[in-house]
Amino acid sequence: MATEAATTASKFPEPDLRPIPQPPDFHPAVIVPAQNTGLRFYQLMVAGSIAGSVEHMAMFPVDTIKTHMQAIRPCPIKPVGISQAFRSIIKTEGPSALYRGIWAMGLGAGPAHAVYFSFYEVSKKYLSGGDPNNSAAHAVSGVCATVASDAVFTPMDMVKQRLQIGNGTYRGVWDCVGRVMREEGFGAFYASYRTTVLMNAPFTAVHFATYEAVKRGLREVSPERVGGGGEEEEGWLIYATAGAAAGGLAAVVTTPLDVVKTQLQCQGVCGCDRFKSGSISDVFRTIVKKDGYRGLARGWLPRMLFHAPAAAICWSTYETVKSFFQDVNGDSTTA
């Protein structure tokens, strides 16, 4: 009888000792339910606002150079490189010109990015269907986020670009706002809105889909390091690398529409053409007529050099602030 019991026990080990079968690619540290942040809506807005402000303030001089390169002024137009544009700004206007318009950027970037990231997180939660690897949901969520945030950011972006190229044209942010309102009307603040949305919708779709894919890929490459003792440092590196790859790729793809946007926002300032209509096709034709098809690629390099590190800064800042709020929420729950 004892022998039978021993044999039975050997055939059927204790249930809690049985190995649990796992799929071959199972990595516990990689499974991060990104769509379930556990954050309150206002915390997402604060995280996004801080991330956007830090990103744009840090990279503002590069953005100024890009704007000067894209603002097509009196013919004949000669090719302008980054070093030429930089030297021209420093020689004619001084180093402070690299930061002209930064206050307009500060006023617009914070609120716009608060809307941007909060809309992204909420949209991703409802569209992903619980699947953190749903790239289509990430892309569509990014498009929804950019349509909403562009409505907030476009007016101040227009003011920012006019201040960047208009040496002495305006005394400051509020002088520019007042003069545009009196001379051109409220519609001038949104002259480039359609172009901005058409540019930022594919930009954001490429950006978010690339960011999530690269972040997931990097975690799968070294799951033991992500879940190890250096989790915070490794996490920051993943966010920065994924953000840089996403920002650089999206920037290059959408440069032609960015050139059109700059033309619409800077029209009539310092010799820039003024357009009778806000038609994107009219602006395209004008650029091609004056500068050839190469004109549509003006500023692609500084745009990429802006968006790659800017996205790295933005995403790493955003994820860091989110982690801070998650810790705060966890402490308040256990208290």
Side-chain angles (χ1 to χ4, degrees), residues 175 177-185:
D175 179 56
V177 170
R179 285 180 57 183
V180 170
M181 182 69 78
R182 288 194 305 270
E183 297 170 8
E184 303 175 49

Side-chain angles (χ1 to χ4, degrees), residues 1-15 18:
M1 195 69 172
T3 306
E4 286 184 14
T7 304
T8 303
S10 64
K11 289 182 179 179
F12 301 100
E14 292 295 327
R18 295 178 185 177

Side-chain angles (χ1 to χ4, degrees), residues 55-102:
E55 165 200 358
H56 285 286
M57 297 296 184
M59 300 303 301
F60 195 82
V62 181
D63 184 64
T64 298
I65 293 171
K66 183 215 72 170
T67 300
H68 276 262
M69 291 175 67
Q70 289 183 340
I72 299 177
R73 285 174 270 197
C75 293
I77 299 169
K78 297 179 180 179
V80 178
I82 294 178
S83 58
Q84 291 172 291
F86 176 76
R87 286 196 298 268
S88 175
I89 294 169
I90 297 298
K91 182 178 179 180
T92 60
E93 304 174 49
S96 63
L98 293 170
Y99 290 92
R100 192 167 51 233
I102 195 169

Side-chain angles (χ1 to χ4, degrees), residues 111-179:
H113 279 74
V115 172
Y116 186 83
F117 281 106
S118 55
F119 264 72
Y120 173 67
E121 293 286 2
V122 172
S123 299
K124 185 172 69 171
K125 177 181 178 180
Y126 287 102
L127 294 175
S128 64
D131 178 12
N133 299 330
N134 190 336
S135 296
H138 298 152
V140 174
S141 299
V143 172
C144 293
T146 200
V147 171
S149 66
D150 283 343
V152 177
F153 187 60
T154 296
M156 277 301 157
D157 188 46
M158 183 274 285
V159 172
K160 181 264 298 182
Q161 287 202 311
R162 290 196 177 201
L163 290 171
Q164 283 176 320
I165 68 167
N167 183 20
T169 305
Y170 303 104
R171 294 193 301 272
V173 173
W174 301 117
D175 179 56
C176 180
V177 170
R179 285 180 57 183

